[in-house]
Amino acid sequence: MSMLSSVAERLYWMSRYLERTQDTARLIQAYNHLIMDIPKGAEPPWDIMIDILDAQPLFRSRFKAGSEQNVLKFLIADEKASCGIPFAVRAARENVRTTRDVLPEEAWELVNELHLFVEAHAGNASGRRNRHDFLSEVISRCQMVNGLLGASLPRDHAYGFIKLGRLVECADMTTRIMDVGAGDIMERAGRFGAIDPLLWGALLQALSAAAAYRREVGPIIEKDAALNFIFLSSTFPRSIKYFVRETRKELMRLNNNDLAIRSVERLRRRLNRLDAEHFTSGELHDYIDDFQQQLTSLDAAIQATWFSWENA
Amino acid sequence: MSKPWRRYSTGRFFDELITDGGSPRVAARRAVNFFKGLSAGELQARRAAAELAIKEMGISFTVYTEGENIDRAWPFDMIPRVISAREWSGVSQGLAQRTRALNCFIDDIYNRQQILADGIVPADIVLGSDNYKAQCEGVSPRFGAWAHICGSDLVRDHRGRFFVLEDNLRVPSGVSYMVENREITKRAVPELFKNYSILPVDDYPLKLYEMLTALSPRAAKRPNIVVLTPGIYNSAYFEHAFLAQGMGAELVEGTDLTVGDDDCVYMRTVDGPVRVDVIYRRIDEDFMDPEAFRPESVLGVPGLMRAWRSGKVAIANAPGSGVADDKVIYAFVPDMIRYYLNEKPLLDNVPTYLCMRERDREHVLKNIAKLVVKPANESGGYGIMVGPHSSAAQHRKFARLIEKDPRNYIAQPTLSLSTAPTYFEGKVQPRHLDLRPFILQSKNTWVTPGGLTRVALRKGSLVVNSSQGGGSKDTWIVEGKA
């Protein structure tokens, strides 16, 4: 059975917003762990998270100082911040609300409960004491939705567009974290040499890559291996290589896929030429900048072809 | 007897569960005893469980107030209304009979107009009505069925007799709440289901699917059925989604559909255009096609009427069905039953005064303080005046309205609506209610076992509409001796 373009679009965005919720929660979690281990004065500033999410203008329009309290309030409790958790959860819920007929019945209940949970607890969760429990709960509720969809959705268009949304959002977040987070660690190289492994470890945590890295590479975390793993691991589901491969696979199942396939092929060629181990921070930034542009054009190709019927 | 039921009195009304003598009715005995056996604390806990279920299931409806949409949780009372299957069977036959006659009427009106020629129904009140759509003249939908989904409102008087209050033939809503109410009741009082044989209601979407499938212009095993909704901001959007999902059909908005040069209707999909066979229309006909009706409508699909008239797509309910959904036409339904079916009406109408008739009008104006006055062409409980509950100024206002536009008003005696025990603020008290069963008609006629019971939550109130502070209850049709 085919699928309405408008429904495909909502599923894609539902999936992106759920992934965004989970990724933002992980990012905050990882930073939190890190901050407790690092000697005072050596830690990256709190608003590095705002840089990662590319939200400085919006953040500065609300808060003067990039303090812990302000950054967390912005990301956890501000309903209008489009990069924050309450906004993403609400947007995911609105999209599920209008696609209930193609999803398993429990999908709406789970997403609605996630929304109710965030609405009830976000106000008290920006302080250090409740933060951890809140974020863990948000992450596990997102995982429940993913689990439900993975276990019960037929592998048809609904699943395809949900998967595409997740892949695109995840690649977006991974590259943002690499750009700002890895860039920050590389720029400070040498100044606080002793804590570098801690920072790389936190970075892997934020990408939920720590355990996979240890198994595939080993317990010693250092720059070249970490970069290589995040970009080129062929088994880790949040790596860039995995993203490109799986996205291509999903696109191949769809009709009229020329535009989107061309876009993903460009990403693949760039990735094949990548020598991640010898990046300087400047090279990394340029590479990711270019990657982000290609990602944007892939997203535009998906929207134009299957959602808005621009070339129909 | 535990405290919450203290001083439960049926008064001068017919109570659905309790007899005048204060004992439970036979069919309701187990349910009443069960609830009476619960302490105040236990009742409160059950209610909390029901509320949690409603919140988690996301059952809501939208209310429009001062330009704002507010999503409210569905107000629900957990004490079910119980009716014996034997009593229901008679009501059900009466409803099927009524719907058949109404469809004969609509088909007649848009084709031969025999009933007008024979003087059974005055031609001017039909042809002069806003609900008569000239665009539908000469169309003969399959099986002569126009109003495929009918929601008729039933009330009981003080002796417990059922009357039909009105027939909703345009886009009747509420059926999803009938199904969900059963689900909530199962979660709130699961023990109660052990000893009862209750007719299931959750097969409604399947029956709807079968009815719609029979309408398909193409012979396909699984025709393409869509539910056409005005969108997320419609008060019944929840129900549109619920029914689409229950039927495995697509939930579409006007922008998802196009009508091709071949007069076929197509939906925009990720694989390109796909032909649609049957449209379950949940959007008012005035908005469904800017080419044929209101040109400013952005909710509709240009060309939809063209597609329907040429038989390339079936639409339920058919456009124009509203001609029989009018409180003046209502008064003639018993005559239609005799005229088209040559049968005696099994269900009674509420006695109705038509203000367009001089003698009726005089009676209404003289007795306005005792009567309920309704505009002929409104739904949702809007514009109604309940004489005994209104001020002298309101009586005068409605008298003026009637004199100005008598065709548009009817009046009925104030009914002593039946009551049922309802849990409210820690006590179980009688509250007034009505019942909306749903009747499906295409190849066959089918009536829901029970329907949606709506209850006026405020003490003494007769207004049960959810948009005006009404709630609802599960409705049980029970078999055998309880």
mmCIF file of all heavy atoms in Angstrom, chain B residues 159-201:
data_model
loop_
_atom_site.group_PDB
_atom_site.id
_atom_site.type_symbol
_atom_site.label_atom_id
_atom_site.label_comp_id
_atom_site.label_asym_id
_atom_site.label_seq_id
_atom_site.Cartn_x
_atom_site.Cartn_y
_atom_site.Cartn_z
ATOM 1 N N ARG B 159 -41.932 7.498 32.027
ATOM 2 C CA ARG B 159 -42.369 6.104 32.154
ATOM 3 C C ARG B 159 -41.347 5.135 31.575
ATOM 4 O O ARG B 159 -41.555 3.935 31.576
ATOM 5 C CB ARG B 159 -43.717 5.922 31.437
ATOM 6 C CG ARG B 159 -44.879 6.550 32.171
ATOM 7 C CD ARG B 159 -46.132 6.337 31.366
ATOM 8 N NE ARG B 159 -45.847 6.589 29.950
ATOM 9 C CZ ARG B 159 -46.585 7.373 29.166
ATOM 10 N NH1 ARG B 159 -47.654 7.952 29.640
ATOM 11 N NH2 ARG B 159 -46.262 7.563 27.908
ATOM 12 N N GLY B 160 -40.264 5.680 31.022
ATOM 13 C CA GLY B 160 -39.216 4.803 30.500
ATOM 14 C C GLY B 160 -39.390 4.471 29.033
ATOM 15 O O GLY B 160 -38.688 3.601 28.511
ATOM 16 N N ARG B 161 -40.293 5.166 28.356
ATOM 17 C CA ARG B 161 -40.485 4.881 26.943
ATOM 18 C C ARG B 161 -39.478 5.657 26.101
ATOM 19 O O ARG B 161 -39.202 6.822 26.373
ATOM 20 C CB ARG B 161 -41.897 5.283 26.533
ATOM 21 C CG ARG B 161 -42.516 4.247 25.620
ATOM 22 C CD ARG B 161 -43.967 4.516 25.459
ATOM 23 N NE ARG B 161 -44.172 5.110 24.144
ATOM 24 C CZ ARG B 161 -45.328 5.663 23.779
ATOM 25 N NH1 ARG B 161 -46.338 5.729 24.639
ATOM 26 N NH2 ARG B 161 -45.463 6.144 22.587
ATOM 27 N N PHE B 162 -38.941 4.977 25.058
ATOM 28 C CA PHE B 162 -37.977 5.645 24.182
ATOM 29 C C PHE B 162 -38.681 6.508 23.144
ATOM 30 O O PHE B 162 -39.700 6.106 22.574
ATOM 31 C CB PHE B 162 -37.132 4.606 23.434
ATOM 32 C CG PHE B 162 -35.956 4.113 24.230
ATOM 33 C CD1 PHE B 162 -35.934 2.820 24.742
ATOM 34 C CD2 PHE B 162 -34.863 4.937 24.453
ATOM 35 C CE1 PHE B 162 -34.846 2.356 25.474
ATOM 36 C CE2 PHE B 162 -33.765 4.483 25.174
ATOM 37 C CZ PHE B 162 -33.757 3.193 25.682
ATOM 38 N N PHE B 163 -38.126 7.686 22.905
ATOM 39 C CA PHE B 163 -38.582 8.559 21.823
ATOM 40 C C PHE B 163 -37.369 8.983 20.995
ATOM 41 O O PHE B 163 -36.266 9.109 21.538
ATOM 42 C CB PHE B 163 -39.218 9.842 22.378
ATOM 43 C CG PHE B 163 -40.548 9.630 23.031
ATOM 44 C CD1 PHE B 163 -40.617 9.263 24.366
ATOM 45 C CD2 PHE B 163 -41.720 9.797 22.309
ATOM 46 C CE1 PHE B 163 -41.844 9.061 24.973
ATOM 47 C CE2 PHE B 163 -42.946 9.596 22.916
ATOM 48 C CZ PHE B 163 -43.023 9.229 24.248
ATOM 49 N N VAL B 164 -37.592 9.214 19.707
ATOM 50 C CA VAL B 164 -36.515 9.782 18.892
ATOM 51 C C VAL B 164 -36.603 11.297 18.981
ATOM 52 O O VAL B 164 -37.659 11.876 18.740
ATOM 53 C CB VAL B 164 -36.642 9.353 17.418
ATOM 54 C CG1 VAL B 164 -35.516 9.970 16.596
ATOM 55 C CG2 VAL B 164 -36.625 7.842 17.301
ATOM 56 N N LEU B 165 -35.480 11.910 19.333
ATOM 57 C CA LEU B 165 -35.456 13.362 19.481
ATOM 58 C C LEU B 165 -35.017 14.037 18.183
ATOM 59 O O LEU B 165 -35.523 15.083 17.814
ATOM 60 C CB LEU B 165 -34.489 13.718 20.613
ATOM 61 C CG LEU B 165 -34.519 15.121 21.171
ATOM 62 C CD1 LEU B 165 -35.903 15.452 21.696
ATOM 63 C CD2 LEU B 165 -33.490 15.242 22.290
ATOM 64 N N GLU B 166 -34.031 13.444 17.526
ATOM 65 C CA GLU B 166 -33.627 13.960 16.212
ATOM 66 C C GLU B 166 -32.782 12.929 15.487
ATOM 67 O O GLU B 166 -32.239 12.008 16.091
ATOM 68 C CB GLU B 166 -32.870 15.280 16.333
ATOM 69 C CG GLU B 166 -31.575 15.197 17.109
ATOM 70 C CD GLU B 166 -30.905 16.562 17.250
ATOM 71 O OE1 GLU B 166 -31.562 17.498 17.725
ATOM 72 O OE2 GLU B 166 -29.728 16.681 16.876
ATOM 73 N N ASP B 167 -32.695 13.086 14.159
ATOM 74 C CA ASP B 167 -31.859 12.210 13.346
ATOM 75 C C ASP B 167 -30.736 13.043 12.761
ATOM 76 O O ASP B 167 -30.987 14.017 12.068
ATOM 77 C CB ASP B 167 -32.682 11.603 12.197
ATOM 78 C CG ASP B 167 -33.956 10.946 12.692
ATOM 79 O OD1 ASP B 167 -33.854 9.868 13.293
ATOM 80 O OD2 ASP B 167 -35.055 11.529 12.493
ATOM 81 N N ASN B 168 -29.497 12.661 13.036
ATOM 82 C CA ASN B 168 -28.363 13.400 12.485
ATOM 83 C C ASN B 168 -27.858 12.686 11.246
ATOM 84 O O ASN B 168 -27.323 11.584 11.320
ATOM 85 C CB ASN B 168 -27.245 13.507 13.522
ATOM 86 C CG ASN B 168 -27.690 14.318 14.721
ATOM 87 O OD1 ASN B 168 -27.741 15.536 14.665
ATOM 88 N ND2 ASN B 168 -28.057 13.643 15.799
ATOM 89 N N LEU B 169 -28.038 13.329 10.103
ATOM 90 C CA LEU B 169 -27.748 12.667 8.829
ATOM 91 C C LEU B 169 -26.610 13.316 8.071
ATOM 92 O O LEU B 169 -26.268 12.897 6.984
ATOM 93 C CB LEU B 169 -28.989 12.713 7.934
ATOM 94 C CG LEU B 169 -30.265 12.139 8.521
ATOM 95 C CD1 LEU B 169 -31.412 12.350 7.571
ATOM 96 C CD2 LEU B 169 -30.087 10.659 8.806
ATOM 97 N N ARG B 170 -26.052 14.375 8.623
ATOM 98 C CA ARG B 170 -24.987 15.052 7.883
ATOM 99 C C ARG B 170 -23.653 14.400 8.216
ATOM 100 O O ARG B 170 -23.227 13.491 7.509
ATOM 101 C CB ARG B 170 -24.993 16.542 8.185
ATOM 102 C CG ARG B 170 -26.089 17.243 7.403
ATOM 103 C CD ARG B 170 -26.213 18.686 7.767
ATOM 104 N NE ARG B 170 -27.326 18.873 8.661
ATOM 105 C CZ ARG B 170 -27.960 20.033 8.818
ATOM 106 N NH1 ARG B 170 -27.560 21.095 8.174
ATOM 107 N NH2 ARG B 170 -28.971 20.123 9.627
ATOM 108 N N VAL B 171 -22.985 14.839 9.253
ATOM 109 C CA VAL B 171 -21.753 14.168 9.674
ATOM 110 C C VAL B 171 -21.851 13.862 11.163
ATOM 111 O O VAL B 171 -21.188 14.482 11.966
ATOM 112 C CB VAL B 171 -20.484 14.998 9.361
ATOM 113 C CG1 VAL B 171 -20.115 14.883 7.906
ATOM 114 C CG2 VAL B 171 -20.676 16.460 9.711
ATOM 115 N N PRO B 172 -22.702 12.881 11.530
ATOM 116 C CA PRO B 172 -22.889 12.613 12.957
ATOM 117 C C PRO B 172 -21.590 12.131 13.590
ATOM 118 O O PRO B 172 -20.845 11.374 12.974
ATOM 119 C CB PRO B 172 -23.944 11.507 12.977
ATOM 120 C CG PRO B 172 -23.892 10.880 11.638
ATOM 121 C CD PRO B 172 -23.462 11.959 10.684
ATOM 122 N N SER B 173 -21.316 12.609 14.808
ATOM 123 C CA SER B 173 -20.073 12.206 15.465
ATOM 124 C C SER B 173 -20.373 11.587 16.818
ATOM 125 O O SER B 173 -21.502 11.628 17.294
ATOM 126 C CB SER B 173 -19.155 13.418 15.625
ATOM 127 O OG SER B 173 -19.757 14.353 16.479
ATOM 128 N N GLY B 174 -19.376 10.999 17.415
ATOM 129 C CA GLY B 174 -19.495 10.442 18.755
ATOM 130 C C GLY B 174 -19.241 8.952 18.842
ATOM 131 O O GLY B 174 -19.063 8.412 19.933
ATOM 132 N N VAL B 175 -19.177 8.292 17.683
ATOM 133 C CA VAL B 175 -19.101 6.838 17.730
ATOM 134 C C VAL B 175 -17.767 6.349 18.307
ATOM 135 O O VAL B 175 -17.716 5.313 18.972
ATOM 136 C CB VAL B 175 -19.360 6.236 16.330
ATOM 137 C CG1 VAL B 175 -18.151 6.405 15.433
ATOM 138 C CG2 VAL B 175 -19.762 4.780 16.440
ATOM 139 N N SER B 176 -16.704 7.120 18.111
ATOM 140 C CA SER B 176 -15.418 6.674 18.661
ATOM 141 C C SER B 176 -15.471 6.685 20.184
ATOM 142 O O SER B 176 -14.857 5.850 20.843
ATOM 143 C CB SER B 176 -14.287 7.574 18.179
ATOM 144 O OG SER B 176 -14.507 8.902 18.596
ATOM 145 N N TYR B 177 -16.225 7.624 20.735
ATOM 146 C CA TYR B 177 -16.322 7.680 22.193
ATOM 147 C C TYR B 177 -17.113 6.491 22.718
ATOM 148 O O TYR B 177 -16.865 5.991 23.808
ATOM 149 C CB TYR B 177 -16.947 9.003 22.629
ATOM 150 C CG TYR B 177 -16.120 10.188 22.189
ATOM 151 C CD1 TYR B 177 -16.607 11.120 21.303
ATOM 152 C CD2 TYR B 177 -14.826 10.341 22.656
ATOM 153 C CE1 TYR B 177 -15.831 12.181 20.883
ATOM 154 C CE2 TYR B 177 -14.036 11.396 22.255
ATOM 155 C CZ TYR B 177 -14.544 12.321 21.362
ATOM 156 O OH TYR B 177 -13.765 13.369 20.959
ATOM 157 N N MET B 178 -18.085 6.031 21.916
ATOM 158 C CA MET B 178 -18.805 4.819 22.294
ATOM 159 C C MET B 178 -17.816 3.657 22.453
ATOM 160 O O MET B 178 -17.873 2.914 23.436
ATOM 161 C CB MET B 178 -19.842 4.480 21.213
ATOM 162 C CG MET B 178 -20.503 3.128 21.392
ATOM 163 S SD MET B 178 -21.532 2.664 19.960
ATOM 164 C CE MET B 178 -20.295 1.959 18.877
ATOM 165 N N VAL B 179 -16.900 3.528 21.502
ATOM 166 C CA VAL B 179 -15.935 2.430 21.557
ATOM 167 C C VAL B 179 -14.933 2.647 22.690
ATOM 168 O O VAL B 179 -14.629 1.731 23.458
ATOM 169 C CB VAL B 179 -15.201 2.298 20.200
ATOM 170 C CG1 VAL B 179 -14.156 1.196 20.264
ATOM 171 C CG2 VAL B 179 -16.197 2.039 19.082
ATOM 172 N N GLU B 180 -14.437 3.876 22.820
ATOM 173 C CA GLU B 180 -13.433 4.151 23.843
ATOM 174 C C GLU B 180 -14.014 4.050 25.253
ATOM 175 O O GLU B 180 -13.331 3.621 26.182
ATOM 176 C CB GLU B 180 -12.819 5.546 23.629
ATOM 177 C CG GLU B 180 -12.051 5.688 22.321
ATOM 178 C CD GLU B 180 -10.681 5.019 22.340
ATOM 179 O OE1 GLU B 180 -10.543 3.951 22.979
ATOM 180 O OE2 GLU B 180 -9.756 5.553 21.711
ATOM 181 N N ASN B 181 -15.279 4.423 25.412
ATOM 182 C CA ASN B 181 -15.896 4.323 26.736
ATOM 183 C C ASN B 181 -15.862 2.881 27.244
ATOM 184 O O ASN B 181 -15.668 2.635 28.431
ATOM 185 C CB ASN B 181 -17.349 4.799 26.692
ATOM 186 C CG ASN B 181 -17.435 6.320 26.685
ATOM 187 O OD1 ASN B 181 -16.433 7.006 26.883
ATOM 188 N ND2 ASN B 181 -18.633 6.850 26.460
ATOM 189 N N ARG B 182 -16.060 1.930 26.328
ATOM 190 C CA ARG B 182 -16.004 0.530 26.736
ATOM 191 C C ARG B 182 -14.596 0.171 27.204
ATOM 192 O O ARG B 182 -14.400 -0.494 28.219
ATOM 193 C CB ARG B 182 -16.424 -0.363 25.562
ATOM 194 C CG ARG B 182 -16.366 -1.854 25.842
ATOM 195 C CD ARG B 182 -17.347 -2.300 26.908
ATOM 196 N NE ARG B 182 -18.697 -1.816 26.710
ATOM 197 C CZ ARG B 182 -19.595 -2.413 25.905
ATOM 198 N NH1 ARG B 182 -19.282 -3.502 25.262
ATOM 199 N NH2 ARG B 182 -20.811 -1.901 25.780
ATOM 200 N N GLU B 183 -13.602 0.672 26.454
ATOM 201 C CA GLU B 183 -12.212 0.389 26.789
ATOM 202 C C GLU B 183 -11.852 0.966 28.169
ATOM 203 O O GLU B 183 -11.206 0.304 28.979
ATOM 204 C CB GLU B 183 -11.328 1.006 25.690
ATOM 205 C CG GLU B 183 -9.868 0.637 25.737
ATOM 206 C CD GLU B 183 -9.634 -0.857 25.641
ATOM 207 O OE1 GLU B 183 -10.391 -1.523 24.905
ATOM 208 O OE2 GLU B 183 -8.717 -1.351 26.317
ATOM 209 N N ILE B 184 -12.296 2.176 28.433
ATOM 210 C CA ILE B 184 -12.002 2.804 29.723
ATOM 211 C C ILE B 184 -12.687 2.019 30.844
ATOM 212 O O ILE B 184 -12.104 1.768 31.902
ATOM 213 C CB ILE B 184 -12.510 4.263 29.766
ATOM 214 C CG1 ILE B 184 -11.912 5.083 28.621
ATOM 215 C CG2 ILE B 184 -12.156 4.918 31.094
ATOM 216 C CD1 ILE B 184 -12.640 6.406 28.401
ATOM 217 N N THR B 185 -13.935 1.629 30.615
ATOM 218 C CA THR B 185 -14.666 0.897 31.649
ATOM 219 C C THR B 185 -13.966 -0.426 31.956
ATOM 220 O O THR B 185 -13.878 -0.847 33.106
ATOM 221 C CB THR B 185 -16.120 0.640 31.197
ATOM 222 O OG1 THR B 185 -16.665 1.873 30.735
ATOM 223 C CG2 THR B 185 -16.970 0.112 32.333
ATOM 224 N N LYS B 186 -13.436 -1.065 30.907
ATOM 225 C CA LYS B 186 -12.699 -2.315 31.139
ATOM 226 C C LYS B 186 -11.483 -2.081 32.022
ATOM 227 O O LYS B 186 -11.110 -2.926 32.817
ATOM 228 C CB LYS B 186 -12.245 -2.908 29.802
ATOM 229 C CG LYS B 186 -13.344 -3.614 29.040
ATOM 230 C CD LYS B 186 -12.789 -4.156 27.725
ATOM 231 C CE LYS B 186 -13.887 -4.831 26.920
ATOM 232 N NZ LYS B 186 -13.446 -5.095 25.533
ATOM 233 N N ARG B 187 -10.843 -0.926 31.851
ATOM 234 C CA ARG B 187 -9.665 -0.649 32.665
ATOM 235 C C ARG B 187 -10.053 -0.248 34.086
ATOM 236 O O ARG B 187 -9.343 -0.549 35.041
ATOM 237 C CB ARG B 187 -8.828 0.480 32.044
ATOM 238 C CG ARG B 187 -8.154 0.080 30.751
ATOM 239 C CD ARG B 187 -6.974 0.993 30.471
ATOM 240 N NE ARG B 187 -6.605 0.952 29.055
ATOM 241 C CZ ARG B 187 -5.569 1.610 28.541
ATOM 242 N NH1 ARG B 187 -4.807 2.356 29.314
ATOM 243 N NH2 ARG B 187 -5.291 1.535 27.267
ATOM 244 N N ALA B 188 -11.184 0.466 34.234
ATOM 245 C CA ALA B 188 -11.544 1.012 35.553
ATOM 246 C C ALA B 188 -12.228 -0.032 36.432
ATOM 247 O O ALA B 188 -11.980 -0.097 37.633
ATOM 248 C CB ALA B 188 -12.431 2.246 35.393
ATOM 249 N N VAL B 189 -13.111 -0.854 35.870
ATOM 250 C CA VAL B 189 -13.836 -1.842 36.681
ATOM 251 C C VAL B 189 -13.816 -3.224 36.008
ATOM 252 O O VAL B 189 -14.860 -3.769 35.663
ATOM 253 C CB VAL B 189 -15.298 -1.402 36.962
ATOM 254 C CG1 VAL B 189 -15.327 -0.283 37.974
ATOM 255 C CG2 VAL B 189 -16.009 -0.960 35.692
ATOM 256 N N PRO B 190 -12.618 -3.791 35.847
ATOM 257 C CA PRO B 190 -12.505 -5.048 35.093
ATOM 258 C C PRO B 190 -13.335 -6.191 35.690
ATOM 259 O O PRO B 190 -13.844 -7.031 34.947
ATOM 260 C CB PRO B 190 -11.005 -5.360 35.141
ATOM 261 C CG PRO B 190 -10.442 -4.518 36.225
ATOM 262 C CD PRO B 190 -11.322 -3.316 36.331
ATOM 263 N N GLU B 191 -13.499 -6.219 37.015
ATOM 264 C CA GLU B 191 -14.200 -7.348 37.661
ATOM 265 C C GLU B 191 -15.637 -7.456 37.190
ATOM 266 O O GLU B 191 -16.211 -8.534 37.136
ATOM 267 C CB GLU B 191 -14.239 -7.179 39.187
ATOM 268 C CG GLU B 191 -12.934 -6.859 39.846
ATOM 269 C CD GLU B 191 -12.701 -5.377 39.968
ATOM 270 O OE1 GLU B 191 -13.016 -4.657 38.979
ATOM 271 O OE2 GLU B 191 -12.200 -4.918 41.006
ATOM 272 N N LEU B 192 -16.204 -6.298 36.866
ATOM 273 C CA LEU B 192 -17.623 -6.251 36.554
ATOM 274 C C LEU B 192 -17.960 -7.016 35.277
ATOM 275 O O LEU B 192 -19.096 -7.424 35.066
ATOM 276 C CB LEU B 192 -18.012 -4.770 36.424
ATOM 277 C CG LEU B 192 -19.465 -4.381 36.549
ATOM 278 C CD1 LEU B 192 -20.124 -5.081 37.714
ATOM 279 C CD2 LEU B 192 -19.542 -2.877 36.727
ATOM 280 N N PHE B 193 -16.966 -7.233 34.435
ATOM 281 C CA PHE B 193 -17.224 -7.889 33.150
ATOM 282 C C PHE B 193 -17.312 -9.401 33.280
ATOM 283 O O PHE B 193 -17.732 -10.087 32.372
ATOM 284 C CB PHE B 193 -16.126 -7.516 32.146
ATOM 285 C CG PHE B 193 -16.257 -6.117 31.627
ATOM 286 C CD1 PHE B 193 -15.874 -5.022 32.391
ATOM 287 C CD2 PHE B 193 -16.793 -5.894 30.372
ATOM 288 C CE1 PHE B 193 -16.002 -3.734 31.922
ATOM 289 C CE2 PHE B 193 -16.932 -4.598 29.880
ATOM 290 C CZ PHE B 193 -16.540 -3.525 30.665
ATOM 291 N N LYS B 194 -16.896 -9.901 34.458
ATOM 292 C CA LYS B 194 -16.809 -11.351 34.655
ATOM 293 C C LYS B 194 -18.163 -12.036 34.516
ATOM 294 O O LYS B 194 -18.280 -13.078 33.895
ATOM 295 C CB LYS B 194 -16.217 -11.650 36.036
ATOM 296 C CG LYS B 194 -14.878 -12.311 35.950
ATOM 297 C CD LYS B 194 -14.326 -12.763 37.300
ATOM 298 C CE LYS B 194 -14.760 -11.953 38.486
ATOM 299 N NZ LYS B 194 -13.840 -11.999 39.614
ATOM 300 N N ASN B 195 -19.190 -11.431 35.115
ATOM 301 C CA ASN B 195 -20.461 -12.144 35.187
ATOM 302 C C ASN B 195 -21.530 -11.602 34.243
ATOM 303 O O ASN B 195 -22.695 -11.911 34.382
ATOM 304 C CB ASN B 195 -20.991 -12.090 36.618
ATOM 305 C CG ASN B 195 -20.006 -12.701 37.574
ATOM 306 O OD1 ASN B 195 -19.415 -13.728 37.275
ATOM 307 N ND2 ASN B 195 -19.796 -12.041 38.699
ATOM 308 N N TYR B 196 -21.095 -10.765 33.338
ATOM 309 C CA TYR B 196 -22.067 -10.184 32.423
ATOM 310 C C TYR B 196 -21.797 -10.668 31.006
ATOM 311 O O TYR B 196 -20.648 -10.870 30.609
ATOM 312 C CB TYR B 196 -21.941 -8.657 32.420
ATOM 313 C CG TYR B 196 -22.916 -7.966 33.348
ATOM 314 C CD1 TYR B 196 -22.475 -7.269 34.460
ATOM 315 C CD2 TYR B 196 -24.278 -7.989 33.068
ATOM 316 C CE1 TYR B 196 -23.367 -6.611 35.290
ATOM 317 C CE2 TYR B 196 -25.168 -7.329 33.900
ATOM 318 C CZ TYR B 196 -24.710 -6.647 35.010
ATOM 319 O OH TYR B 196 -25.590 -5.995 35.816
ATOM 320 N N SER B 197 -22.857 -10.824 30.227
ATOM 321 C CA SER B 197 -22.685 -11.066 28.801
ATOM 322 C C SER B 197 -23.080 -9.775 28.093
ATOM 323 O O SER B 197 -24.258 -9.500 27.887
ATOM 324 C CB SER B 197 -23.554 -12.234 28.364
ATOM 325 O OG SER B 197 -23.613 -12.281 26.971
ATOM 326 N N ILE B 198 -22.071 -8.962 27.770
ATOM 327 C CA ILE B 198 -22.308 -7.625 27.227
ATOM 328 C C ILE B 198 -21.994 -7.641 25.735
ATOM 329 O O ILE B 198 -20.926 -8.115 25.333
ATOM 330 C CB ILE B 198 -21.382 -6.597 27.913
ATOM 331 C CG1 ILE B 198 -21.503 -6.726 29.426
ATOM 332 C CG2 ILE B 198 -21.703 -5.187 27.456
ATOM 333 C CD1 ILE B 198 -20.331 -6.142 30.172
ATOM 334 N N LEU B 199 -22.910 -7.142 24.920
ATOM 335 C CA LEU B 199 -22.645 -7.131 23.486
ATOM 336 C C LEU B 199 -21.464 -6.206 23.191
ATOM 337 O O LEU B 199 -21.423 -5.077 23.683
ATOM 338 C CB LEU B 199 -23.884 -6.660 22.715
ATOM 339 C CG LEU B 199 -25.103 -7.567 22.814
ATOM 340 C CD1 LEU B 199 -26.229 -7.054 21.922
ATOM 341 C CD2 LEU B 199 -24.755 -9.006 22.447
ATOM 342 N N PRO B 200 -20.482 -6.694 22.420
ATOM 343 C CA PRO B 200 -19.295 -5.881 22.152
ATOM 344 C C PRO B 200 -19.603 -4.701 21.220
ATOM 345 O O PRO B 200 -20.538 -4.777 20.414
ATOM 346 C CB PRO B 200 -18.331 -6.863 21.464
ATOM 347 C CG PRO B 200 -19.207 -7.914 20.890
ATOM 348 C CD PRO B 200 -20.427 -8.005 21.770
ATOM 349 N N VAL B 201 -18.840 -3.640 21.362
ATOM 350 C CA VAL B 201 -19.026 -2.471 20.483
ATOM 351 C C VAL B 201 -17.788 -2.184 19.645
ATOM 352 O O VAL B 201 -17.814 -1.331 18.774
ATOM 353 C CB VAL B 201 -19.364 -1.195 21.289
ATOM 354 C CG1 VAL B 201 -20.743 -1.300 21.910
ATOM 355 C CG2 VAL B 201 -18.311 -0.914 22.347
#
